[in-house]
Amino acid sequence: MDETVAEYIRRTVLKIPRDEIKTMLQKWGFLSETQLQTINFHQIKENISHDVVLLCEENSADIKQAAVLDIIYNHSYPNKRVWSVYQMNKTGEETELFDLTDFKKKFKRRLRSALKNVTINFREYEDNAIWIRIAWGTPYTQPNQYKTSYVVYHSQTPYVFVSASVLKSNLPLLCQALVVASNYHDIREMELRGHSLNSLKDIVFKRYNQNFQTYYPRPLQERNVAPGSADLRIIQENRSEKERIQRVNREVFGDGPQPKLEFAQYKLETMFKSDPKMDVLDKKEPFRCLVKFSSPHLLESLKSLAPAGMADAPLSPLLTCIPQKARNYFKIREKKGVFPGSFVSP
Amino acid sequence: HLTTSLPLPSERDHLRPRIDLIAFMIDIKSRYSLKNVEASLAHVDASFFLGKVCFLVTGVGRVNYCSIEMNAIWKLGKVYCSPVLFCELELEGIRVATAQRLLRMLQICAGHIPGVSALSFSSLMRNSADD
């Protein structure tokens, strides 16, 4: 077995949390059950991965099989990567049946015709998701298995989720191959990025709990009843204001859990508005500024801002439109017209 | 009575007892809370500022998360002639001690301690550097 393959398998196994190694190897299916029995999964990870490599040598693993293990790992832990969302579209209403073999063949052919040194692997999952792993090389070097791109394509939708590696120069080629293989006409990058692949899918497939305009009959006014607080000596003066905030929040965010995003970025190209006497900028140029919000769970924290008393309700629509518009990167320009303001450009 | 901003809702005016002490809470991590307090101060009758108002600054345990400058707080206390107390609500010991201080101040403001009136607070606050 090739040295590089052995090292790659060893490093992949080391990434897996110790308790999950056995299950993942079983999913991989490359080592037989009897072989797996011979491994002690309670020793330190270095030793476990060493044992796995020895067994892989017995079975003469090659890079294709090792790549499958990598896909399985990334499918279980997709949140370690950053995913961008792309949307493909086609003009015309041809509804062709999706043929998986045809897709794979066209994809491989397109990539290989431009770049000989690539490793391409496919794996299908239940929810019509096709996972594609691509290891990139150059015309002169072998594919670098540690610099991989991942593509998740749901064949019944025009959406593709891409976790590109550092080699951004290969993106146009990848996009081209996708379009050709799936019989679409073009592809564009949506301004939506995040770590949680499932949340990006939720946003784009509209699977999160959206707020629909329902009629909420106002509850009867209650006086001097403190349902939550145990101490009746504490009197909340702003009960109606608190209820208004809850109601507005619920209308904007809905009831269910929010999709998980880590950033929202706003690129401002607006004029600096200040006291005319201050005259900060002589030239009337747009003031370039980047505002970035980051959080372990951005939408949930936005949802809790007003109830926590840290912001007014309702929040700015620039923040609350994120799931509906399916984007978290915005460019804000000056609105040209009678009323100076700002508008969000596509 | 707890409220998030002033003025108090007028529909409960008839149910409200006399107010002896107003403690404005400022979260040092939130500029919004300072703004809110400054806006609410405008709704307080001038007679309260003779010792019946104090500022309670919370969250001082986390030095890294200060969003408000100390100067702004000192200035607030000076302009409104009211004491500024600092506390960290997340630590039980400090929370209890602060509550006891406020309770003592409240007793004085309500006139329950003979010989001491709320007017004494302003003289106790005078900074030796000012003289």
Side-chain angles (χ1 to χ4, degrees), chain A residues 94-285:
Chain A
E94 326 106 48
T95 42
E96 296 159 10
L97 282 171
F98 179 75
D99 183 349
L100 183 60
T101 348
D102 189 51
F103 173 82
K104 294 204 273 200
K105 198 170 70 180
K106 283 193 185 155
F107 185 82
K108 281 199 278 212
R109 192 169 56 200
R110 183 54 159 205
L111 268 193
R112 292 229 163 90
S113 69
L115 192 60
K116 282 205 185 26
N117 288 324
V118 276
T119 318
I120 308 172
N121 286 79
F122 298 87
R123 194 166 168 91
E124 297 83 55
Y125 286 91
E126 329 70 46
D127 51 348
N128 280 326
I130 303 167
W131 278 63
I132 314 175
R133 173 188 182 277
I134 304 133
W136 303 96
T138 70
Y140 315 105
T141 61
Q142 285 296 303
N144 184 342
Q145 300 299 333
Y146 299 94
K147 290 212 159 68
T148 49
S149 300
Y150 272 88
V151 174
V152 179
Y153 173 44
H154 283 251
S155 51
Q156 304 304 319
T157 75
Y159 296 105
V160 184
F161 304 87
V162 178
S163 170
S165 60
V166 272
L167 300 167
K168 291 270 154 65
S169 53
N170 291 314
L171 261 177
L173 178 57
L174 176 61
C175 291
Q176 228 183 39
L178 280 167
V179 165
V180 162
S182 55
N183 294 320
Y184 278 84
H185 281 125
D186 60 62
I187 184 170
R188 75 174 180 100
E189 185 175 0
M190 295 172 68
E191 299 290 332
L192 182 62
R193 267 159 240 145
H195 277 273
S196 168
L197 179 61
N198 280 337
S199 288
L200 293 175
K201 289 190 193 182
D202 285 345
I203 291 176
V204 150
F205 300 149
K206 303 274 180 227
R207 295 195 300 219
Y208 61 99
N209 208 332
Q210 297 177 80
N211 50 317
F212 297 108
Q213 298 285 44
T214 54
Y215 171 61
Y216 273 115
R218 289 210 65 191
L220 292 171
Q221 296 282 52
E222 291 180 13
R223 294 204 173 269
N224 284 351
V225 175
S229 63
D231 196 341
L232 288 170
R233 293 175 296 178
I234 300 176
I235 297 175
Q236 302 274 2
E237 291 281 354
N238 298 93
R239 189 178 302 283
S240 53
E241 174 65 11
K242 279 201 158 97
E243 280 165 10
R244 183 193 75 88
I245 292 178
Q246 293 288 359
R247 197 182 63 239
V248 165
N249 228 32
R250 195 195 240 153
E251 274 167 27
V252 167
F253 289 98
D255 276 329
Q258 301 293 311
K260 191 160 188 240
L261 288 172
E262 296 80 31
F263 308 105
Q265 189 172 291
Y266 299 83
K267 205 174 202 173
L268 300 178
E269 287 166 13
T270 50
M271 305 296 280
F272 187 73
K273 292 185 182 63
S274 71
D275 194 345
K277 294 193 283 261
M278 278 175 68
D279 202 23
V280 173
L281 285 179
D282 276 344
K283 300 175 265 193
K284 288 297 165 194
E285 261 181 22

Side-chain angles (χ1 to χ4, degrees), chain A residues 223-224 233-238 240-242 309-312, chain B residues 1-5 7-9 11-12 15-16 27 30 32:
Chain A
R223 294 204 173 269
N224 284 351
R233 293 175 296 178
I234 300 176
I235 297 175
Q236 302 274 2
E237 291 281 354
N238 298 93
S240 53
E241 174 65 11
K242 279 201 158 97
M310 297 190 130
D312 290 324
Chain B
H1 289 236
L2 282 182
T3 180
T4 52
S5 66
L8 293 173
E11 38 305 338
R12 300 175 50 92
L15 293 169
R16 221 170 274 129
D27 183 357
S30 162
Y32 179 75

Side-chain angles (χ1 to χ4, degrees), chain A residues 77-95:
Chain A
Y77 299 100
N79 301 346
K80 292 207 186 282
R81 303 180 80 106
V82 176
W83 298 89
S84 315
V85 189
Y86 288 75
Q87 185 179 19
M88 299 191 284
N89 50 38
K90 56 171 119 196
T91 54
E93 279 304 316
E94 326 106 48
T95 42

Side-chain angles (χ1 to χ4, degrees), chain A residues 245 249 253 293 298-313 315-316 319, chain B residues 32:
Chain A
I245 292 178
N249 228 32
F253 289 98
F293 292 87
L298 182 70
L299 294 177
E300 279 294 338
S301 55
L302 289 176
K303 184 175 174 184
S304 48
L305 275 181
M310 297 190 130
D312 290 324
L315 288 176
S316 158
L319 292 170
Chain B
Y32 179 75

